[in-house]
Structures are given as C-alpha cells and as structure tokens.
Amino acid sequence: MAPVFVLTIFIAVLCSVQGRSTGKASLERSEEDMEIDSTRTNSIEEEDFSASTLIEKANRNLGKRLDEPLVMFGDIAVNTGFMNADPCTAHTCKWPKSSNGNVYVPYVISNQYSAPRERSVIEGGLQTFAASTCVRFFPRTNQRDFVDIQSLSGCYSYVGRQKNGQVVSLNRNGCVHLSVVQHELLHALGFNHEHSRIDRDSHVQILTQNILPGMESNFDKVDTINLGTPYDYNSVMQYSRFAFSKNNQPTILPIPDNNAVIGQATQMSPMDILRINRLYKCVQVD
Ligand SMILES: [Zn+2]
C-alpha cells in the first residue's frame, strides 16, 4: 500500500483536497490479445486486456513525481488548485471547429518513444478518430494549443482542451495500446468515464465496501451531458467490474443484469464514436 500512502500525502500537501487516485502495474500484450469474446461474462482473470485494467495497472505508481500534474478519477489530470476535475461537458473546452467541418487537434509525440512500434500504435490510435468522426489529429507546427504526448508516470489526460500544450501521458510500459490511446484522447476531447455519468445509478451499482481505501473518488459522479446517448457498458471509457477492488470482489455491478459484461472494451464502441460526432456536431460521417 506504499504507493497509495505516498500519493495521499502528495495530494494532501499540494492542494488540501481529500487523498485519492491511481491504479496498478503494467503489462504488454500482442495484437491477437485484442480479440475478446464480448458474449462472456467477465471474471477478474479475463479483464487483463481491457482499457480499464491496462490503465489501472499502469497507474500503480502514479503520483510519485512532484513535477507531474495531480491525477484524480484514476487517470484524469487536473490543474493544481482545482477542487474537482472540470467535466467539460458542453463547450468551454471543446476543440475548435474548422470552416470545413473538421475539428483539427494538433499533437506532438515525444521522442521518448524510440521504438517504431510505439509510435505506430500511438499514431494509429490517433488516426482511428479520422476514420469515423470529424476529429483530425495532425502533427503540430506552430499552433498554441496542442496535445503533448509523453511517457510520464502512467496513463492520464486532462479532460477537454486546455491552454497551450496539454500533457497526455502514455507510459511506455503499459499505456501504449490502442484502447488506452483512444481512452486518453477521448478525455482530451472532453469525455469523462462512463461510470461517472450523472445517470449511472440506473445502470450500475457502486459497491463501496469493496473499494480500496483512498480510491473512492474514482467512483464519484460527474454532472455530465450525455448527448442523448444511452449508458454503454462497452464504452472504452467504462471501467471494469473489479476496478480499484481491495478484495477481488466487484466494485462496479451492472444492474439489473448483474452478469452483463462491462469494461472490457479494447477499442472505441459505436456509442463512443456517436458521442464524438454529436459533441463536435460532425455533419457527415464517412
Ligand atoms: Zn480515464
């Protein structure tokens, strides 16, 4: 429990909010591991390759570096001094829309990613947005606001557009996977976790008694705008059934069907894509 203890102190000293946040270890997987049978009920052993589990594992040691942002809700960075992660639900932190209807988001990828495979996975993840939405990530030239992709401690992102370069951390050991790239960039585009939705209590039950001490805030609700889309267990933004569990018992239980599969997404769901298109008012989707 040392990492949790260290992080709690870190947060308490920095901004006097309740101690919280972070996740766990790291692992690698191959492309064939991406194939998951979505019909089966998830057990704790079967969740190793979901975005949720990858992020939680990779964030085990988050919070040890004082030069990195405060991270809450598992993998959402917040500017020091903010009491809550800004949900950015509507417009203030959207990326601007071009006159041709596309939303251009400049990015920089750190040269820390020395392996061609790493850049390939990251750039490939960025390009998936162009395939199904009007969002176009492109290499930054001189734009003021941009996504600054670096290998820092774990996987995390701010929610929505910030001013100037905003870090999206994709640690080389554990975060360089399609699902995680999409998950963190969805945060940067303005989206929160599915289980944080304002209406989540109609779709999942949070089992507080099974949550690791200090991690309860990962399950806070956010005053989200849901864009007329239903709750989606298959969203790449849905954390797993066992997220932040202290006892291998579920922390997020789908209701009314307790056996529904949740948090196993290995890529954006059709609903994730629809939400991007609605938030950014993409007119024509290819
Ligand atoms: Zn997240």
Side-chain angles (χ1 to χ4, degrees):
M1 293 308 294
V4 176
F5 177 74
V6 169
L7 179 67
T8 304
I9 297 299
F10 166 67
I11 292 172
V13 169
L14 256 187
C15 52
S16 303
V17 297
Q18 298 155 340
R20 51 192 54 169
S21 170
T22 75
K24 303 189 170 172
S26 70
L27 60 97
E28 290 288 313
R29 67 179 170 167
S30 56
E31 286 305 310
E32 55 267 30
D33 292 328
M34 304 283 284
E35 300 297 328
I36 286 184
D37 179 357
S38 62
T39 61
R40 71 190 180 194
T41 299
N42 39 338
S43 68
I44 197 161
E45 293 81 12
E46 291 169 333
E47 299 201 331
D48 285 352
F49 307 116
S50 68
S52 168
T53 299
L54 287 166
I55 292 167
E56 190 178 347
K57 285 174 180 286
N59 286 357
R60 170 180 281 174
N61 295 318
L62 206 56
K64 285 186 172 177
R65 290 174 56 96
L66 294 176
D67 56 345
E68 292 184 23
L70 173 63
V71 175
M72 300 171 71
F73 305 105
D75 68 328
I76 296 176
V78 293
N79 290 312
T80 303
F82 280 36
M83 290 299 110
N84 293 297
D86 185 345
C88 181
T89 48
H91 37 265
T92 56
C93 55
K94 277 167 68 173
W95 292 83
K97 201 168 170 71
S98 146
S99 57
N100 71 4
N102 284 339
V103 175
Y104 293 98
V105 182
Y107 70 82
V108 170
I109 298 178
S110 165
N111 58 17
Q112 294 168 292
Y113 303 100
S114 52
R117 188 199 68 84
E118 295 171 328
R119 294 191 74 88
S120 167
V121 169
I122 295 170
E123 289 175 347
L126 296 174
Q127 293 314 312
T128 58
F129 289 84
S132 51
T133 77
C134 61
V135 174
R136 302 287 183 269
F137 289 99
F138 73 101
R140 174 190 186 235
T141 51
N142 60 355
Q143 293 77 19
R144 186 196 69 173
D145 300 335
F146 63 97
V147 171
D148 190 3
I149 300 173
Q150 301 182 45
S151 175
L152 301 180
S153 307
C155 336
Y156 59 83
S157 171
Y158 293 88
V159 173
R161 179 173 63 99
Q162 312 291 305
K163 281 202 166 40
N164 306 308
Q166 64 185 85
V167 169
V168 170
S169 175
L170 297 173
N171 187 278
R172 297 178 68 188
N173 296 313
C175 307
V176 182
H177 300 285
L178 173 64
S179 60
V180 181
V181 173
Q182 290 180 334
H183 179 108
E184 301 305 340
L185 270 300
L186 277 165
H187 280 317
L189 289 174
F191 293 95
N192 282 283
H193 292 140
E194 194 72 354
H195 59 273
S196 296
R197 277 172 61 127
I198 192 67
D199 62 346
R200 67 104 187 274
D201 292 331
S202 301
H203 308 280
V204 293
Q205 181 183 359
I206 305 301
L207 302 179
T208 311
Q209 66 272 27
N210 296 331
I211 299 174
L212 279 167
M215 300 297 174
E216 295 86 354
S217 69
N218 290 298
F219 301 87
D220 287 351
K221 279 194 285 191
V222 178
D223 188 16
T224 52
I225 288 177
N226 298 323
L227 301 159
T229 57
Y231 195 99
D232 180 16
Y233 294 143
N234 295 318
S235 169
V236 78
M237 306 306 279
Q238 169 70 56
Y239 267 26
S240 77
R241 179 182 297 259
F242 302 101
F244 300 101
S245 175
K246 69 179 180 187
N247 54 11
N248 290 344
Q249 295 299 306
T251 53
I252 306 177
L253 197 62
I255 53 175
D257 178 7
N258 295 166
N259 292 320
V261 174
I262 65 168
Q264 295 252 343
T266 55
Q267 60 182 344
M268 287 192 290
S269 71
M271 205 59 69
D272 289 324
I273 292 168
L274 178 63
R275 285 172 194 153
I276 298 170
N277 286 319
R278 289 195 174 168
L279 181 63
Y280 285 98
K281 297 183 169 56
C282 300
V283 178
Q284 186 64 50
V285 180
D286 296 332

